[in-house]
Every structure is written in structure tokens, then in C-alpha cells.
Amino acid sequence: MNFSPQLIALGEYLAGEFDNREQAIADPAWYVHLRLWQRPVDLFTEDSITLFAEQANVINLDQPYRQRIMRLCQGRDFDAPLEVQYYMLQDPGAFKGAGCNPALLNILTPDKLDLLPGCILTVTQEKLASDRYKFIATPLPETRCSFTYLGNVVYVSLGFEATATEFQSHDKGIEPATGKATWGAIMGPYRYTKRNHYSIG
């Protein structure tokens, strides 16, 4: 399928290795120094660009966590022409470390994923230059991203902004009873700088 230039740009901006070193040094009380990998995977290629995402504290790079799949596709609304659908790995442990060791992703197939229906973002873009964009991803109205992990229901508020060199994560864990954020971007987004680019081709 021929993808739009905007979808290709979004995939290229998101694919890579990132960290928030400058932010963690400037404000260590609120921001852990994290490494983030977003690796292209060969799934849903008929209509999507798909990424495996994983992160780790830089002092424990051998203990990555929060594995997830992001499927980037054309949207259904002219005002939000792109969408990101999240999936959960049925066995996250089987792919632990795939950020550093992408060979682990060779056995990843759609039947090893669970669709998260409420975990979907609409993506709009601002044009910065002739071929550069800033992408802004926000939840659909009246949706709630939730899933079951280790027997507990987890609620997450998702969102991000991306340019060719930076990725800002607004992801937060939400306490269902109070609606308050309990982890993640509580004091503002995690601001990552791209350190290494991964090809989506």
C-alpha cells in the first residue's frame, strides 16, 4: 500500500532510540533518566507502520519494561488524518530486551497481541518547514485506555508530540477511584532526544 507522506514522516520520527538525559539532569526529583526504544516490526504492513516500544532506567538497562505495540495508520477523519492504535503483548517477558536485541521480534506475530480498543490516539500535524512536521497525538473523546496486567486493571492516559529530533511522552498511569496520575508524566511530558534512528523501510 502507498502510505501518505505524513504517515511515513510519523513513522520515521517515532522509530529510533531516545533518552531524556538533559531533562533528568535538570530535574532529577521528577524525571528518571530513561532510555526508550521504538523499533519497526513487520506487522500489519498492508495498511500500517508498526513499532515495538520498550523503555528502561539507564542504570538498569538489562531490566526493560512497559513493552507495547504502536500501529500507525491513516485516520478516518479529515481533521485527524492519522491514528495510533495500541496493542498489548500477551507474553511481554518473551520479548523483554527486544529494544536492544531486535532479533527477538522475528517471532512476533499478530496472534501474540491483544488489541486495546480504548487505547487509540488521533494524530494531527503542524508543518514546520517544507518537509518537516510536528505531530500531536491525543486520545479520542469519551475513550478510556485500560487493560489487565498481573490481575489488576490498569488505566493509562496516553499522548505524545514528535518532531524529527524530539519525542515528548505525556503517558500517565491513572488511579481509577480519584482520576489522579500516579506515575509517568505527572509534572509535564518526558522530553526525549533521538540518539539513533531506525529505518522503517
Side-chain angles (χ1 to χ4, degrees):
M1 181 177 178
N2 292 324
F3 298 142
S4 71
Q6 292 83 5
L7 181 59
I8 293 170
L10 178 62
E12 290 178 340
Y13 289 8
L14 295 181
E17 181 178 332
F18 304 77
D19 72 40
N20 67 324
R21 180 173 63 237
E22 293 83 0
Q23 182 183 47
I25 290 171
D27 199 357
W30 286 106
Y31 296 98
V32 176
H33 188 181
L34 297 177
R35 183 80 48 82
L36 170 68
W37 298 269
Q38 296 185 150
R39 286 197 176 271
V41 290
D42 195 23
L43 296 177
F44 311 117
T45 55
E46 68 280 359
D47 64 358
S48 310
I49 296 169
T50 305
L51 304 170
F52 166 86
E54 182 176 60
Q55 64 196 54
N57 189 314
V58 295
I59 63 173
N60 294 305
L61 290 177
D62 60 338
Q63 298 176 36
Y65 61 96
R66 205 165 170 244
Q67 293 85 1
R68 54 209 181 273
I69 296 293
M70 304 164 66
R71 182 179 181 181
L72 322 177
C73 53
Q74 299 296 146
R76 292 159 281 186
D77 188 332
F78 178 80
D79 294 327
L82 303 176
E83 291 183 351
V84 179
Q85 172 68 65
Y86 286 78
Y87 293 75
M88 183 177 179
L89 295 157
Q90 294 174 356
D91 182 9
F95 301 95
K96 185 176 181 180
C100 280
N101 182 13
L104 293 172
L105 298 171
N106 292 339
I107 62 169
L108 183 60
T109 53
D111 62 318
K112 295 177 181 177
L113 305 176
D114 286 332
L115 174 69
L116 300 175
C119 304
I120 188 168
L121 301 175
T122 58
V123 184
T124 57
Q125 74 259 355
E126 300 174 3
K127 202 157 191 177
L128 302 180
S130 59
D131 61 347
R132 295 293 181 183
Y133 302 91
K134 177 180 180 181
F135 292 100
I136 303 168
T138 55
L140 287 169
E142 309 301 323
T143 61
R144 173 177 275 192
C145 178
S146 66
F147 53 89
T148 301
Y149 180 69
L150 299 177
N152 298 312
V153 177
V154 178
Y155 292 91
V156 182
S157 173
L158 298 170
F160 66 78
E161 297 178 27
T163 67
T165 58
E166 296 182 331
F167 176 78
Q168 296 186 21
S169 172
H170 295 267
D171 294 0
K172 298 184 289 288
I174 302 298
E175 167 56 47
T178 64
K180 292 185 177 181
T182 57
W183 56 261
I186 297 173
M187 298 300 291
Y190 270 75
R191 300 178 184 273
Y192 295 95
T193 299
K194 181 176 281 193
R195 307 299 183 186
N196 189 18
H197 177 73
Y198 302 145
S199 173
I200 62 171

